[in-house]
Amino acid sequence: MSTVGKGFRHAGIFAGILAFAAMAASCKPPPGVKYPLDTLTPRSDLTQKFYDLFVEVTALDVIVLIVVVGAIFLAIFVFSTRTGHPREPSTKHSDVYLEFAWTVIPALILLAITVPTVHTIIQTQPDHWPPDTLQVRVLAHQWWWEFNYPTLGVETADEVHIPAGRAIHFELISKDVIHSFFMPSIGGKRDVIPGQENQITLVANPDATGEYYGQCTEFCGDSHANMRFRVFVDSPEDFDKWVKHQLEPPVKPTSGPAAAGAKIFANAPCAICHTIKGVSGFSKDYTYGFRGPDLTHFGSRGTLAGAILDNTPENVAAWIHNPDKIKPGANMPTLGLSGEELNDLVAYLESLK
Ligand code: CUA
């Protein structure tokens, strides 16, 4: 390669590194949250086990690194020959002790990693769970998450609530392509595959109440990066309150913009895909999942559109006005609503507390 060609290649690599650094710097977490997808802050028995394994293997790796780097330094600075002082080369054909050492030591290292890894895999994928375990069905769609609770009759989207201190069993089902359910602090990561039900079980979910972030981590199409969700670990009392509220019928506004919006909702194509209990709903068979998120208590959620937007009237209006602009490839069509009609519809959706 010519000097000019090399110069171009180096400039290209340098520009690539700069672009990556700029991109990494632009991935700012939301205000008030330091590291929303931190895998090193375990908040459940499951993630604690992953974390312990990670620390164990990393510690072992550090020891190996120190030994190898130490041996390299010794070879370079202590046992190598110096210019002008050549030593006789060794005449040995083999060294049985050395060969024994470099066969047995790596085997022991592998064993030291394999045993706790296999142990953790077995421990974290139990076949059965306590009788009062809460079942949560997670249905992955391009590009949003449906959560339903078969034993409670609750359906929601993009925001899942679980009670602290109780065993939780997530059944992972995909409606279309392969996704990956990743909630780093609470449940680690597991693929969601069409035709195969996977699971995540939190046997001893500790009292770590709070809001946690989740994200799809398997490339699943245009809006893969826009397929996020939130996990709310509630106190048992708050969880019961939440369930009770979710089971209540939706608000039925009788006057003002919200009432006008309710009429628009019923007559626009919204009602074909979105369920509002007692108002619309195309499928009661949850095995097949919904086409669009259940909106019965939409106004009580903090986010929308795959948890990428805060649930504010402005954001809801922007979303309905042009979903594809916010979430490229989204299945929700542009309805052509604007002005007063759009405002009324937004008022209705926000009233669904
Ligand atoms: Cu779903 Cu990426």
Side-chain angles (χ1 to χ4, degrees), residues 141 143 145 178-180 216-221 224-225 227:
H141 299 254
W143 291 276
W145 299 94
I178 301 177
H179 302 267
S180 187
C216 176
T217 46
E218 176 83 39
F219 181 71
C220 55
H224 153 68
M227 191 171 167

Side-chain angles (χ1 to χ4, degrees), residues 1 7 19-20 24 44 47 59 123 125-127 153 156 179 204 206 210 214 218 221 241 249-250 286 294 303 335 346:
M1 192 184 280
F20 180 76
S44 72
T47 45
Q123 264 193 326
Q125 303 207 29
D127 282 338
T156 184
H179 302 267
E218 176 83 39
K241 253 188 246 165
Y286 302 127
D294 183 298
T303 61
L335 301 175
V346 171

Side-chain angles (χ1 to χ4, degrees), residues 90-351:
S90 166
T91 51
K92 263 184 164 177
H93 287 291
S94 64
D95 186 325
V96 92
Y97 294 110
L98 210 53
E99 292 196 15
F100 184 75
W102 68 47
T103 306
V104 170
I105 293 173
L108 288 178
I109 294 170
L110 281 182
L111 211 62
I113 292 174
T114 307
V115 170
T117 303
V118 172
H119 184 233
T120 306
I121 291 172
I122 294 169
Q123 264 193 326
T124 55
Q125 303 207 29
D127 282 338
H128 30 261
W129 28 89
D132 72 329
T133 300
L134 178 67
Q135 304 281 331
V136 181
R137 195 169 284 171
V138 180
L139 296 111
H141 299 254
Q142 279 175 317
W143 291 276
W144 60 282
W145 299 94
E146 178 182 338
F147 298 103
N148 60 55
Y149 302 69
T151 52
L152 302 175
V154 170
E155 296 88 32
T156 184
D158 297 330
E159 293 185 3
V160 59
H161 285 249
I162 54 174
R166 185 166 160 196
I168 315 285
H169 180 243
F170 293 95
E171 303 166 26
L172 309 176
I173 300 158
S174 170
K175 305 309 298 176
D176 33 53
V177 298
I178 301 177
H179 302 267
S180 187
F181 189 62
F182 177 50
M183 38 177 187
S185 304
I186 300 293
K189 181 190 291 182
R190 198 140 296 163
D191 276 2
V192 190
I193 301 165
Q196 182 192 316
E197 192 178 310
N198 278 355
Q199 54 116 343
I200 292 177
T201 308
L202 313 176
V203 175
N205 179 27
D207 297 323
T209 54
E211 180 181 349
Y212 302 93
Y213 283 61
Q215 164 85 50
C216 176
T217 46
E218 176 83 39
F219 181 71
C220 55
D222 290 358
S223 275
H224 153 68
N226 298 325
M227 191 171 167
R228 305 176 202 168
F229 61 98
R230 302 280 167 91
V231 183
F232 293 86
V233 181
D234 300 332
S235 67
E237 300 76 42
D238 285 349
F239 179 75
D240 289 346
K241 253 188 246 165
W242 178 78
V243 170
K244 216 175 140 209
H245 181 68
Q246 295 297 307
L247 291 172
E248 281 169 13
V251 171
K252 285 215 166 89
T254 48
S255 62
K263 281 202 191 96
I264 295 169
F265 178 89
N267 294 318
C270 318
I272 299 171
C273 298
H274 293 284
T275 297
I276 293 180
K277 293 207 177 71
V279 176
S280 67
F282 80 98
S283 170
K284 281 268 171 258
D285 187 349
Y286 302 127
T287 335
Y288 296 105
F290 292 121
R291 225 177 285 175
D294 183 298
L295 301 177
T296 309
H297 293 286
F298 171 78
S300 68
R301 291 186 211 140
T303 61
L304 73 139
I308 59 173
L309 297 176
D310 287 335
N311 189 355
T312 63
E314 297 74 35
N315 284 342
V316 177
W319 168 249
I320 296 170
H321 181 67
N322 191 353
D324 202 65
K325 191 177 170 199
I326 291 166
K327 212 198 258 183
N331 282 327
M332 181 157 135
T334 303
L335 301 175
L337 294 174
S338 58
E340 204 178 327
E341 273 190 325
L342 181 59
N343 288 341
D344 290 349
L345 183 57
V346 171
Y348 172 55
L349 293 173
E350 293 291 35
S351 77

